[in-house]
Amino acid sequence: MRESKDFTEPALKTLFAGDFRIGAAVNPHTIRSQGHLLAYHFNSITAENEMKFERLHPEEEVYRFGEADELAAFARKHGMAMRGHTLVWHNQTSEWLFADGKGGTVSREALLERLESHIHKVVGRYKDDIYAWDVVNEVIADEGEELLRPSKWLEIAGPGFISAAFEFAHAADPQALLFYNDYNESHPHKRDKIYTLLKSLLEQGVPVHGVGLQAHWNVYDPSLDEVRTAIEKYASLGLQLQLTELDMSVFRFEDRRADLKAPPAELLELQAQRYEAMFRLLKEYREVISSVTFWGAADDYTWLNDFPVRGRKNWPFLFDEGHQPKAAFHRLAGLKG
Ligand code: GLA
């Protein structure tokens, strides 16, 4: 691995200093294994899993803050910003939250009280470390005409859980920027539904300040035009935008091939072209995009190594497995203006 003194290329955070913050998702392992890379190139972090409900609050009376605290300390030590991820989600959420302890389901009132107390505790604790929270993650249904995906939240509390979460977060830290975060955010059907949700929240006076475009993209999809239209549509609501989980898979989503041991040169070139075109586009919208966070930092560690094909390696980032800059990095370093 590279030591601090080995980093001589321009830092990403400096290259884009006039545009947006450059972030990475981290965990207690990668702040060690990728520590030098993170400190040199990035000025923002997000906890990959450590601030999710099930990790922070496994039982009603038990909070576990150790790992999340460690990540916040890493951000403080390196003068990095930190995003909070995530308060309300249908995944990675403890079962007890929805249960009444007697084999049944909790009431709507009790669920919202539990949510309020969770948000108060968590957002309050990281007030001085976290400037922006993903308050609600992925509530929009991918397919069909239904706006909201089925979930325990919806089933028990009705759609009001969404505005309640934003109200609770705003009360817990009135300074924090509050985001709605989702994937497939640039696909027209989902984009329009996300827009509809945000518009209705804003019309109700709900304290929502931004939209997180997860940006789990690949080298073929979404198209530049789709991304541009999505940015303009969300920005027309007066919200700020952040890319929150960017990665650029070298496989189409439907592609199940698992034979590649190393990324072929032509795929890396395609990836470099895509990164260059995407960042050129993002820079055009620097007035409304305040941060671009990758869902990892370098190709030695990515959740895509197991998703959607278990055990298949992927190479989605700007830095390779040895933390050396890839072709994509050099293209971004060459962007002007
Ligand atoms: C979603 C979540 C993230 C993460 C990714 C997969 O995008 O928002 O927290 O779990 O899935 O790693």
Side-chain angles (χ1 to χ4, degrees):
M1 283 306 139
R2 303 170 82 192
E3 295 300 319
S4 322
K5 64 172 173 30
D6 303 332
F7 288 85
T8 51
E9 71 274 13
L12 276 177
K13 63 185 177 197
T14 312
L15 288 167
F16 295 101
D19 304 312
F20 24 72
R21 287 194 173 107
I22 299 288
V26 303
N27 63 46
H29 175 70
T30 60
I31 58 170
R32 296 187 175 82
S33 63
Q34 302 181 330
H36 298 307
L37 177 78
L38 291 164
Y40 183 79
H41 279 289
F42 297 83
N43 53 12
S44 178
I45 59 167
T46 304
E48 185 188 16
N49 288 303
E50 293 68 18
M51 293 189 177
K52 290 175 179 170
F53 200 110
E54 68 174 9
R55 299 290 287 271
L56 288 182
H57 202 170
E59 292 166 53
E60 185 155 15
E61 306 304 330
V62 179
Y63 278 94
R64 292 209 182 105
F65 288 115
E67 294 193 320
D69 284 357
E70 224 190 299
L71 303 180
F74 180 82
R76 271 200 303 279
K77 176 171 168 204
H78 295 286
M80 294 163 149
M82 189 168 197
R83 302 188 77 263
H85 177 82
T86 177
L87 298 171
V88 170
W89 195 23
H90 60 280
N91 271 331
Q92 293 182 262
T93 300
S94 321
E95 281 303 316
W96 68 260
L97 177 62
F98 304 111
D100 67 358
K102 292 178 250 153
T105 301
V106 74
S107 69
R108 174 178 198 271
E109 292 64 38
L111 177 59
L112 292 179
E113 266 170 41
R114 287 173 180 179
L115 177 62
E116 181 171 23
S117 125
H118 175 84
I119 289 183
H120 185 78
K121 183 102 169 184
V122 172
V123 174
R125 183 181 184 90
Y126 295 108
K127 247 182 176 163
D128 296 333
D129 297 300
I130 289 185
Y131 78 101
W133 271 99
D134 292 330
V135 176
V136 174
N137 200 31
E138 303 181 350
V139 294
I140 296 293
D142 284 290
E143 311 289 344
E145 291 316 307
E146 285 298 323
L147 189 67
L148 301 179
R149 83 163 61 236
S151 71
K152 291 211 167 137
W153 288 108
L154 186 61
E155 188 186 306
I156 300 170
F161 75 90
I162 300 172
S163 52
F166 282 99
E167 303 286 358
F168 297 152
H170 189 56
D173 180 3
Q175 308 301 324
L177 294 171
L178 305 182
F179 281 75
Y180 174 71
N181 191 49
D182 214 327
Y183 66 92
N184 284 351
E185 73 300 315
S186 301
H187 288 171
H189 184 67
K190 183 113 174 244
R191 173 201 70 205
D192 287 351
K193 290 207 261 180
I194 296 172
Y195 173 88
T196 300
L197 171 69
L198 290 168
K199 188 157 184 285
S200 105
L201 293 175
L202 290 167
E203 282 165 1
Q204 295 165 59
V206 174
V208 49
H209 310 115
V211 53
L213 289 71
Q214 288 191 5
H216 290 295
W217 295 339
N218 63 58
V219 293
Y220 310 100
D221 179 82
S223 73
L224 279 175
D225 279 349
E226 284 174 335
V227 174
R228 181 187 296 280
T229 311
I231 291 175
E232 297 208 346
K233 184 142 192 176
Y234 297 135
S236 74
L237 291 166
L239 294 168
Q240 64 168 283
L241 275 54
Q242 299 195 341
L243 271 64
T244 53
E245 307 186 13
L246 174 62
D247 36 37
M248 196 72 79
S249 165
V250 302
F251 303 106
R252 271 183 215 285
F253 190 75
E254 307 71 29
D255 189 348
R256 293 293 187 265
R257 75 179 289 187
D259 56 322
L260 292 183
K261 296 285 168 273
E266 62 277 11
L267 265 184
L268 291 178
E269 173 55 24
L270 190 57
Q271 186 181 52
Q273 287 170 13
R274 282 278 284 176
Y275 265 120
E276 179 179 5
M278 284 297 183
F279 272 74
R280 182 171 287 133
L281 178 67
L282 299 177
K283 279 166 78 77
E284 273 185 55
Y285 291 94
R286 61 160 75 89
E287 298 303 326
V288 291
I289 299 175
S290 51
S291 173
V292 174
T293 293
F294 293 81
W295 205 242
D299 288 347
D300 53 316
Y301 178 78
T302 162
W303 73 294
L304 292 171
N305 284 346
D306 277 310
F307 185 85
V309 178
R310 269 193 94 81
R312 178 180 69 183
K313 176 106 192 83
N314 208 322
W315 302 271
F317 296 124
L318 302 176
F319 300 96
D320 70 13
E321 292 161 271
H323 302 174
Q324 300 290 343
K326 291 161 64 180
F329 172 88
H330 294 296
R331 279 331 147 75
L332 297 198
L335 283 176
K336 296 279 178 304

